[in-house]
């Protein structure tokens, strides 16, 4: 306790510079704790989404006793969002059982809307077709998964939903029907966020705890020479760092609280939550308030070890010992595991994530990243020592001698940037893995819309939605229910040749203006439809309607459709001129196609919803809930990469500022001897850029190996991501350029001899 109090007295009584350093340590630590709290809270936010979605699910039975309350739930796509409507026919039984967010069940003709659905109804009055009834009120937050959800409870009569409705028993299940993120996918996200944020975060907090390490070590050495014990000296330093870390942790939790309030109002793309969802839990508070000071305690004790063991060497600024090799052992161990898994990619049975691999693969990647950080001082020392002995350049000699004497000082500056490149490579692997799991199997995406739900003007407008490549009409021939069992039938595509060619993978022999037979060797044909058979297509007109008879010709178009595709298995192509402009055959569907890129699909769906808000759009082969999950995953990864960038940049700024303050005396001394400012700037730049370049090259190699290890064990179709190498290489060059610019202010124009007065 005595040493702790002594550390506090030194903290607040050692001058203005020491107090400024304390607040810098606390400010840097607060940024790290804020990022840590955000990472720890993301699973809590997703669990809150799923919990509310599960609590409102109707528990029902197929048997409909007399007087029972009936429910019917429908989830349809509205643009790229899911619109859920629950139809309720109140009865005498279980009518008092209410879902979360409602104070009463709606009567026939009444509608309770979520705030998002209410806003949509005001902006798009045509949505009223989906919501038969008058708006009675809003659904409370406890009944919605997130603030932007489109959800409605619609009161109706028993006869309208008697065929498909189910008898209500109660509300709520223990699981969500469509979780915000699948549990298996959430494991990938946790690993990615851990690699992108937590590993750089640990380094950043360590950097903050070692601010002004040289001056503090000299002060601690003085205390040791005055009679303070070795452990007491370490405790004095640890007390200072622990207080700064604790103050920073409290400040960081406050910053997160403010961030949570702001983010709940602005939201992230595809991810919104209520303030209570992101509230700090007891576990998160405990981890932040205990973890950050605990890390600072160990870092403080380790940084004061030399001052406590060899105080005279510290006071006389003796050359430090060679960096330890234990970091290299960690790097070799991690690379051994990673390379071993990469080697299985060349075999017929690559490794997977089952059994021990579920632990060994992440452990190997984390050991590689940690070993990379701990090996950098040793690499910097060896490189500096060799170059200093062989170079004839004054600039390079001065730079390498300083790196040889203080390899750890330089590496604290560049470690965050090196980890940033390493983590970026892992992020590429996670994105590739998610793309392999979630992307459509075809490079195009088709959309099928009932033709009868679109006017001629709307057909023209949806065909012109940005991103839509082609459009057509599909329809099936009519069969007489009283006719023979072997009457032919088939499906037709109404489109021009250029439109049809954009809907399929390959077509050959199409002639505009002619009815032609279609032949796809990978698809079946109509029942008994042969060249010369007549296929009737019904076109309603008033009360009678008419029939369009198409004779299946001998002329054939060989084509290959995508899988899935809205025109897969079509038997005949009909030119648009063969149909009246306003014709709407029975069962006909209006088909659009676009790129299968997730962002493009969402844009097209939103564009269709803006033109025809009440129409039912079927994205062929795509689940809207799955599309929303992809958007959430992309948002979470983007947040992780942004936090990693912020932490890496903050670590560089904090380290380079601290190094500038610590090196003022040495820079002033060399300048007074006669070195020019331009030479000193070049020295400072080389001191940082040269070891940083080596570290970045090593990060590129180890990062790509870690990425391949992740892809192989995850079962991805891509093992070696060579396409990502140029991006990372450019990022590394940019990082080196930024670090070079950041070293220039280390040498000022004014020389202050007072900085070396004591020397």
């Amino acid at each position: 306790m005595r040493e702790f109090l002594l550390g506090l007295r030194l903290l607040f009584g050692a001058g203005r510079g020491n107090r400024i350093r304390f607040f810098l340590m606390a400010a840097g630590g607060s940024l790290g704790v804020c990022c840590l709290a955000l990472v720890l809270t993301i699973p809590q936010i997703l669990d809150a989404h799923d919990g509310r979605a599960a609590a409102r699910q109707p528990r029902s039975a197929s048997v409909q006793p007399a007087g029972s309350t009936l429910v019917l739930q429908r989830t349809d796509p509205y643009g790229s969002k899911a619109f859920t409507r629950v139809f309720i026919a109140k009865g005498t039984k279980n009518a008092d059982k209410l879902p979360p967010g409602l104070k009463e069940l709606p009567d026939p003709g009444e509608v309770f809307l979520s705030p998002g659905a209410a806003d949509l109804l005001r902006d798009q009055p045509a949505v009223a077709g989906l919501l038969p009834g008058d708006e009675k009120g809003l659904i409370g937050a406890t009944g919605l998964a997130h603030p932007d959800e489109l959800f409605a409870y619609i009161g109706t009569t028993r006869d309208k939903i008697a065929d498909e409705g189910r008898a209500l028993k109660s509300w709520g299940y223990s699981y969500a029907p469509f979780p915000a993120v699948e549990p298996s996918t959430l494991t990938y996200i946790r690993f990615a966020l851990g690699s992108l944020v937590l590993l750089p975060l640990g380094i950043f907090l360590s950097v903050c705890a070692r601010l002004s390490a040289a001056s503090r070590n000299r002060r601690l050495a003085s205390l040791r020479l005055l009679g303070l014990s070795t452990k007491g000296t370490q405790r004095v330093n640890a007390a200072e760092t622990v207080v700064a870390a604790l103050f920073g942790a409290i400040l960081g939790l406050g910053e997160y609280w403010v961030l949570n309030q702001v983010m709940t109002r602005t939201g992230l793309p595809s991810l919104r939550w209520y303030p209570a969802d992101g509230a700090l839990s007891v576990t998160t508070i405990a981890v932040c308030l205990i973890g950050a000071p605990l890390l600072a305690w160990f870092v403080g004790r380790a940084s004061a070890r030399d001052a406590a063991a060899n105080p005279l060497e510290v006071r006389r600024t003796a050359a430090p010992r060679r960096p330890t090799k234990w970091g290299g052992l960690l790097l070799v161990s991690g690379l051994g595991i990673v390379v071993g898994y990469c080697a299985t990619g060349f075999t017929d049975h690559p490794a997977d994530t089952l059994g021990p691999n579920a632990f060994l693969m992440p452990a190997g990647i984390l050991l590689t990243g940690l070993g990379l950080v701990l090996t950098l001082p040793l690499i910097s020392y060896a490189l500096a020592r060799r170059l200093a002995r062989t170079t004839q350049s004054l600039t390079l000699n001065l730079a390498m001698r300083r790196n040889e004497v203080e390899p750890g000082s330089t590496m604290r500056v560049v470690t965050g940037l090196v980890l940033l490149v390493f983590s970026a490579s892992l992020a590429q692997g996670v994105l590739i893995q998610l793309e392999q799991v979630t992307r459509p199997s075809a490079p195009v995406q088709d959309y099928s819309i009932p033709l009868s739900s679109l006017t001629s003007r709307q057909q023209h407008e949806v065909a012109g939605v940005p991103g839509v490549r082609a459009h057509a009409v599909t329809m099936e021939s009519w069969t007489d229910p009283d006719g023979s069992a072997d009457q032919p039938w088939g499906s037709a595509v109404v489109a021009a040749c250029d439109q049809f060619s954009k809907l399929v993978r390959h077509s050959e022999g199409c002639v505009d203006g002619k009815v032609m037979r279609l032949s796809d060797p990978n698809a079946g044909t109509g029942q008994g439809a042969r060249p010369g058979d007549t296929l009737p297509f019904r076109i309603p007109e008033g009360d009678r309607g008419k029939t369009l008879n198409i004779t299946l010709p001998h002329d054939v178009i060989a084509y290959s459709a995508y899988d899935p595709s809205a025109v897969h298995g079509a038997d005949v192509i009909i030119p648009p001129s063969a149909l009246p402009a306003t014709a709407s055959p029975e069962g006909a569907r209006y088909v659009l196609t676009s790129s299968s890129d997730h962002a493009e699909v969402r844009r097209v769906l939103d564009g269709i919803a803006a033109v025809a808000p009440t129409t039912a759009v079927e994205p062929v082969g795509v689940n809207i809930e799955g599309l929303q999950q992809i958007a959430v995953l992309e948002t979470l990864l983007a947040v992780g990469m942004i936090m990693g960038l912020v932490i890496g940049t903050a670590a560089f700024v904090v380290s380079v500022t601290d190094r500038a303050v610590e090196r003022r005396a040495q820079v002033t001394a060399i300048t007074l001897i006669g070195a020019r400012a331009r030479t000193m700037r070049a020295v400072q730049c080389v001191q940082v850029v040269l070891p940083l370049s080596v570290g970045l090259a090593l990060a590129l190699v180890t990062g790509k190996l870690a990425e391949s290890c992740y892809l192989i064990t995850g079962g991805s179709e891509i093992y070696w991501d060579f396409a990502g190498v140029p991006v990372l290489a450019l990022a590394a060059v940019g990082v080196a350029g930024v670090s070079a610019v950041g070293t220039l202010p280390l040498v000022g124009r004014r020389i202050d001899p007072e900085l070396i007065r004591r020397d």
Side-chain angles (χ1 to χ4, degrees):
M1 190 64 181
R2 182 170 60 92
E3 292 87 355
F4 182 79
L5 294 177
L6 177 59
L8 293 183
R9 291 185 63 185
L10 290 173
L11 173 62
F12 295 104
R16 185 180 63 179
N18 198 57
R19 289 192 293 270
I20 292 175
R21 179 182 54 79
F22 168 78
F23 287 113
L24 285 176
M25 291 172 62
S30 70
L31 176 62
V33 169
C34 181
C35 292
L36 176 61
L38 180 57
V39 172
L40 295 177
T41 309
I42 284 176
Q44 173 184 316
I45 293 173
L46 298 178
D47 289 341
H49 279 207
D50 295 342
R52 288 192 297 271
R56 72 187 181 201
Q57 289 302 306
R59 302 174 70 93
S60 57
S62 57
V63 179
Q64 301 178 4
S68 60
T69 298
L70 302 184
V71 294
L72 175 63
Q73 183 165 308
R74 289 280 188 249
T75 300
D76 303 303
Y78 180 82
S80 59
K81 298 180 180 180
F83 196 158
T84 302
R85 297 171 295 161
V86 181
F87 295 88
I88 300 176
K90 290 173 63 174
T92 58
K93 295 182 180 179
N94 296 330
D96 58 336
K97 295 183 178 179
L98 305 177
L102 286 188
K103 296 181 179 180
E104 59 176 328
L105 292 180
D107 291 322
E110 295 179 348
V111 179
F112 287 93
L113 300 174
S114 66
D119 293 340
L120 179 64
L121 182 60
R122 283 191 292 270
D123 296 338
Q124 299 283 349
V127 176
L130 298 173
L131 305 168
D134 298 325
E135 183 178 346
K136 177 69 173 178
L138 296 178
I139 304 172
T142 56
L144 300 174
H146 56 86
D148 289 342
E149 189 176 23
L150 301 180
F151 203 92
Y153 290 99
I154 303 172
T156 186
T157 57
R158 188 181 184 89
D159 59 298
K160 292 183 178 179
I161 61 172
D163 293 338
E164 299 180 79
R166 299 172 67 89
L168 175 67
K169 296 170 61 178
S170 62
W171 301 88
Y173 280 93
S174 59
Y175 59 90
F178 301 105
V181 177
E182 291 290 343
S184 58
T185 308
L186 186 58
T187 303
Y188 293 125
I189 293 299
R190 285 172 176 162
F191 174 73
L193 292 178
S195 303
L196 288 171
V197 180
L198 296 184
L199 189 58
L201 182 59
I203 301 300
F204 175 58
L205 293 177
S206 300
V207 167
C208 292
R210 285 181 58 83
L211 287 178
S212 300
S215 60
R216 276 195 291 161
N217 284 345
R218 288 195 295 270
R219 187 179 62 203
L220 294 172
S222 299
L223 293 176
R224 180 73 179 93
L225 292 173
L226 290 174
L228 194 63
S229 66
T230 300
K231 291 185 178 180
T233 303
Q234 291 178 316
R235 291 184 188 128
V236 168
N237 187 50
E240 183 179 354
T241 57
V242 165
V243 171
L246 183 59
F247 183 73
I250 296 173
L251 185 61
L253 293 177
E255 292 172 357
Y256 171 77
W257 183 87
V258 175
L259 180 65
N260 181 48
Q261 298 300 318
V262 173
M263 295 303 293
T264 53
R265 288 162 175 79
T266 60
L268 296 172
S270 305
L271 182 60
R272 287 286 307 276
W273 65 91
Y274 293 103
D277 299 345
L280 291 167
S281 64
V282 176
T283 303
T284 300
I285 294 175
V287 169
C288 293
L289 292 182
I290 296 175
L294 189 64
L295 177 62
W297 170 266
F298 285 109
V299 172
R301 285 179 61 88
S303 62
R305 187 180 297 118
D306 290 339
N310 303 292
L312 285 176
E313 291 185 3
V314 173
R315 288 301 303 170
R316 295 173 179 176
T317 61
R321 292 184 297 273
R322 178 174 177 168
T324 180
K325 297 181 180 179
W326 288 106
L329 181 60
L330 287 178
L331 179 62
V332 171
S333 302
L335 279 178
I337 298 174
V338 168
V339 172
Y341 281 113
C342 289
T344 65
F346 295 100
T347 66
D348 295 332
H349 302 285
D352 52 31
T353 54
L354 301 178
N357 296 341
F359 167 77
L360 284 177
M361 185 273 291
I365 293 178
L366 293 178
L367 281 176
T368 301
L370 185 60
L372 175 64
V373 171
L374 298 178
T375 308
L376 289 178
L378 180 62
I379 295 174
S380 177
Y381 172 82
L383 177 66
R385 189 175 185 182
R386 183 175 184 84
L387 289 178
R389 289 180 177 179
T390 57
T391 184
Q392 300 297 320
S393 169
L394 174 63
T395 300
L396 189 58
N397 192 282
L398 284 175
M400 293 301 100
R401 287 301 182 187
R402 174 52 60 184
N403 282 356
E404 182 183 358
V405 172
E406 295 181 353
S409 174
T410 302
M411 297 320 297
R412 281 199 302 273
V413 176
V414 304
T415 295
L417 300 178
V418 170
L419 267 182
L420 184 61
V421 174
F422 178 81
S423 300
S425 184
L426 272 181
Q428 282 187 339
V430 175
L431 288 173
I432 291 174
Q433 178 71 13
L434 291 176
E435 181 73 9
Q436 292 290 328
V437 172
T438 59
R439 71 177 182 179
S441 57
V444 299
Q445 175 63 53
D446 289 352
Y447 313 85
S448 180
I449 308 171
L451 184 63
S452 58
S453 65
L454 298 174
T455 64
S456 299
R457 180 178 178 180
Q458 287 176 326
Q459 293 176 30
H460 178 74
E461 289 179 351
V462 296
V465 168
V468 172
R469 297 178 176 178
H471 59 90
V473 173
T474 62
M475 55 186 183
E476 293 186 355
S477 64
W478 176 75
T479 56
D480 187 354
D482 298 327
S484 61
D486 60 348
Q487 55 185 313
W489 62 269
S491 58
V493 178
V494 181
C497 289
D498 62 328
Q499 296 289 323
F500 181 74
S501 64
K502 297 175 183 177
L503 287 166
V504 298
R505 189 187 305 273
H506 169 75
S507 66
E508 182 179 347
C510 184
V511 179
D512 276 320
K514 291 184 61 177
V515 176
M516 302 186 72
R517 188 162 52 93
L518 296 173
S519 174
D520 183 357
N522 298 318
T525 59
Q527 178 180 335
R530 297 288 186 271
D533 289 341
T534 299
L535 300 177
F537 296 92
R538 301 276 293 186
I539 303 177
E541 278 191 6
D543 297 331
R544 301 183 61 184
K546 66 177 183 179
T547 301
L548 174 66
N549 294 311
I550 298 295
T551 301
L552 202 62
H554 291 275
D555 297 334
V556 64
I557 299 173
Y559 79 103
S560 175
Y562 294 105
D563 187 21
S565 171
V567 298
H568 183 73
D571 300 291
V572 62
I573 183 171
I574 301 173
S577 58
L579 285 177
T582 59
S584 180
E586 286 184 355
R589 303 188 70 86
Y590 199 64
V591 174
L592 308 171
T593 189
S594 73
S595 165
S596 61
D597 178 73
H598 301 313
E600 187 75 14
V601 172
R602 288 194 293 270
R603 282 194 295 269
V604 171
L605 284 171
D606 291 339
I608 295 173
V611 174
T614 59
T615 191
V617 182
E618 178 191 351
V620 179
V622 170
N623 187 303
I624 290 297
E625 286 79 11
L627 195 64
Q628 290 181 308
Q629 283 197 24
I630 296 169
V632 172
L633 294 175
E634 291 175 344
T635 297
L636 293 178
L637 281 179
V639 169
M641 286 187 282
I642 290 173
M643 283 194 291
L645 177 61
V646 169
I647 292 171
T649 305
F652 172 74
V653 172
V654 169
S655 300
V656 79
T657 304
D658 179 58
R659 186 169 176 268
V661 175
E662 287 283 287
R663 292 291 315 282
R664 286 184 301 173
Q666 291 88 347
V667 171
T668 300
I670 298 176
T671 304
L672 287 175
I673 292 174
R676 293 180 298 178
R678 184 174 60 184
T679 301
M680 292 305 301
R681 290 191 179 94
V683 169
Q684 300 295 331
C685 183
V686 171
Q687 283 179 1
V688 172
V689 172
L690 190 58
L692 174 62
S693 301
V694 175
L696 290 176
L698 190 59
L700 282 173
V701 175
T702 56
K704 297 311 290 185
L705 288 174
E707 178 190 2
S708 296
C709 169
Y710 177 83
L711 292 174
I712 290 171
T713 55
S716 173
E717 297 178 5
I718 297 176
Y719 287 172
W720 321 107
D721 177 30
F722 297 111
V725 174
V727 177
L728 288 177
L730 289 175
V733 172
V735 165
V738 170
S739 64
V741 173
T743 60
L744 297 180
L746 292 179
V747 180
R749 294 179 178 274
R750 187 173 63 87
I751 298 175
D752 185 6
E754 182 66 20
L755 293 172
I756 59 172
R757 179 178 60 84
R758 294 179 181 179
D759 293 337

